[in-house]
Amino acid sequence: MQNFDVIIVGGGFLGLSTAYQLSKMGVKTLLLEAGDIGGGTSASCSGRAQTCEGHLDPLNIQIIRDGLARHETLEEELGAKYDWRKIGLFLLIRSEDLWQRWQERSAILTPAGIPTEVVDRTTLQKAEPNMNTLGLLGATYSVEGMLDPLKFSLAYANAAQRNGAVILGRSRVTGFEVKNNRILSVTAGNTVYRAEKVAVMAGAWTSKVTRLAGVSVPVHFTHAEALVTERIPSMIYHNVELADFYETIHGKDKAVAIGVHPQLNGSLDISEAVTTTNRLHKGVSAWGVTSISKELVHLYPFLEKVRVVRTWGRPTSFTPDEEPLIGWVPERDNLFVATSLVITITTVPLLSEWMALMIQGKQPPVSLEEYSPARFIQQLIHA
């Protein structure tokens, strides 16, 4: 039996950053990851630190704005480079309704500290001369961040270890010992670990893990596929996404919402084909790759002969109300969960610190009560 103050389950952005914050505060912390550290959904993303696409309530705007600012000094704090840089973003607008909606969003975001503007097709074409803009009215323009997601994960992991945290990959949690609504220990492999508190931060796998402790949390997921091209000369100058990304994929069995993200090495990260499934996996399909490619070549015809060198798939978690899930699980006195942040990379530097305080029983600077798992139990009671 090994004893810790806190056991974190999940070695992605949330788990690793929270392990860093807890160990920095002197908390004896163990992190258990079923696969490779940073090798799950976190490392399989495009590395975007999104800004203007979040929800418009004051709390979301604050954590996006202030979280983005933390990245400016975070590489120095963690003692590692993760290729942080700023890049312009164009969200392509294809209808009058979207044009009006983003005009309204811009009027809220810009005064709140997230500069956003709607530009016409001529302006878009000048900024992206190799883009096929036929059928587009224009785009929303903002500035966001980019990083290398695996380097980001490992920067947090190494910093946490330097502070004394124990980070274990290839350590799948297989059971919990529960007594009197309290988790007493966690089993991974042939080892039993005891802790005062347990935090499950396993992304799309969160519900699967909490069920081992006899608790069901409402975390759902879709499966997203993407691809990476060979290195090409610089002919795409911004991140490019659809302004109606979420509407394009929402409720569909299969859908493609094209996104183009230039990488520092000259390759392009292209996302994403989304399917509805009940199976957690990291595979790709012929449908996904070909559907993404078709949309991509329509948007940037010069890419027709460019080769795909890698593809990947990952589950993406979400909650029924599409808000984050952060807080204590009512059915267990010492079980904390965090997942489905919507805009994760941007907010992780800030929220991990606040979550570390919450896990210790302290109040964060801003209440996260509206993200508590208890809200779903209350909804069932009222229903």
Side-chain angles (χ1 to χ4, degrees), residues 239-262:
N239 278 350
V240 176
E241 295 276 338
L242 298 183
D244 55 346
F245 168 84
Y246 295 106
E247 294 93 332
T248 300
I249 67 171
H250 187 71
K252 311 283 198 326
D253 289 336
K254 290 183 177 181
V256 173
I258 197 71
V260 183
H261 319 109

Side-chain angles (χ1 to χ4, degrees), residues 5-24:
D5 297 325
V6 177
I7 295 175
I8 295 174
V9 181
F13 296 146
L14 285 185
L16 293 168
S17 60
T18 305
Y20 164 71
Q21 294 291 350
L22 285 168
S23 60
K24 182 181 174 183

